[in-house]
Amino acid sequence: MVARLSPAARQGRAFGGYGAWKGLGYTLGPVLGGVLITVGGFGLLFGVLAGLAALAALWAALAVPAVPPLPRERQTVVDLARRLGRASFLGPTATLAAATGALAVGVGFLPVTGAAAGLGPLATGAAVSVLAVCSALVQPWAGRARDAGRLRDRTGMALGLGATAAGLTVAALVPGLGGVLGAAVVIGTGVGLATPLGFAHLAATTPPERLGQTMGAAEVGRELGDAGAPLLVGAVAVASSLGGGLIALAAVVAVTGGVVGAVGANSRAVGEDRGS
């Protein structure tokens, strides 16, 4: 719906704003949740969340316009597999999976690394909020830069994943508060750069009548990253150390970014050859 309700020339900005609002929820949720639990326990927390969900549902029912389905040609399973096997789908989806996985690991494991270094809950909780704030601030900027033609999709996705891998490496190798906060800033920035470009690229390369199917399939990829990355870090941590698990994930994210960037460079080279 974000893609359908946004002009094609402003989809980067639309998905950047979408990500920024999600990031705001990630930022405020843990802080406000802690306050509510302190004041009234888990009963108050879940009661407030239920009320917020009801208000959001009512607001959506009243404010979101109807988006009727577009007419589309019949599609076979082979057609679907062929379309989802293209680089224009696999690259952005792999980017979203890697970024989401790194975000999940940052939220889940940065407090663990901070606690192992002797930091208290306030400092480790602040690190998670810093990660979410950085991601929320970068996403609208990345979307606007993309719409203005200052940032190519695949270049930006590769740079974002490279920064994310660097942040995970910082978390693994730099001890203490500086390492935790530095990793939060770099991971959040990388995730914020890669995510809106991945969504916008999918929207730009998908027929409008297939947007729902494509975005749904891409969300499956994101969920695989969200579930798989913490499992990878945890498995390697059990076998060696938490730092080793973070380095392993950093390597996966870096390789993903390199492949996405290389495919983009090859695509541009092919286009230039055809144009000549």
Side-chain angles (χ1 to χ4, degrees):
M1 291 184 72
V2 171
R4 287 280 304 277
L5 295 173
S6 305
R10 293 172 59 89
Q11 287 190 347
R13 182 174 300 185
F15 282 108
Y18 161 78
W21 281 103
K22 287 183 66 176
L24 182 63
Y26 277 118
T27 303
L28 295 179
V31 177
L32 297 180
V35 171
L36 292 171
I37 291 173
T38 301
V39 172
F42 282 98
L44 178 61
L45 171 66
F46 291 121
V48 170
L49 290 177
L52 285 175
L55 288 175
L58 178 62
W59 186 17
L62 296 175
V64 178
V67 181
L70 298 175
R72 56 189 181 274
E73 297 180 359
R74 181 177 178 274
Q75 184 185 57
T76 66
V77 175
V78 175
D79 294 331
L80 174 62
R82 184 181 298 116
R83 186 163 59 81
L84 298 186
R86 294 172 181 168
S88 59
F89 174 81
L90 293 178
T93 301
T95 297
L96 293 171
T100 304
L103 178 63
V105 167
V107 171
F109 285 93
L110 282 182
V112 177
T113 61
L119 302 178
L122 180 60
T124 55
V128 173
S129 293
V130 166
L131 189 157
V133 167
C134 290
S135 177
L137 292 177
V138 169
Q139 291 197 53
W141 172 86
R144 288 193 297 269
R146 185 254 185 196
D147 291 342
R150 298 193 303 270
L151 184 63
R152 291 179 178 271
D153 289 347
R154 290 188 178 273
T155 300
M157 286 187 284
L159 290 174
L161 292 183
T164 302
L168 292 167
T169 304
V170 169
L173 300 180
V174 180
L177 181 61
V180 173
L181 290 180
V185 169
V186 181
I187 293 172
T189 300
V191 170
L193 177 59
T195 300
L197 299 180
F199 277 123
H201 190 82
L202 284 170
T205 56
T206 301
E209 69 274 13
R210 300 293 182 187
L211 271 174
Q213 185 183 67
T214 298
M215 293 298 184
E219 283 292 339
V220 173
R222 288 189 76 199
E223 294 298 330
L224 290 175
D226 193 26
L231 287 175
L232 171 64
V233 173
V236 176
V238 170
S240 59
S241 65
L242 178 55
L246 294 172
I247 291 293
L249 179 61
V252 172
V253 173
V255 169
T256 303
V259 171
V260 169
V263 170
N266 291 338
S267 298
R268 289 194 296 274
V270 170
E272 291 170 358
D273 291 341
R274 288 176 178 172
S276 61

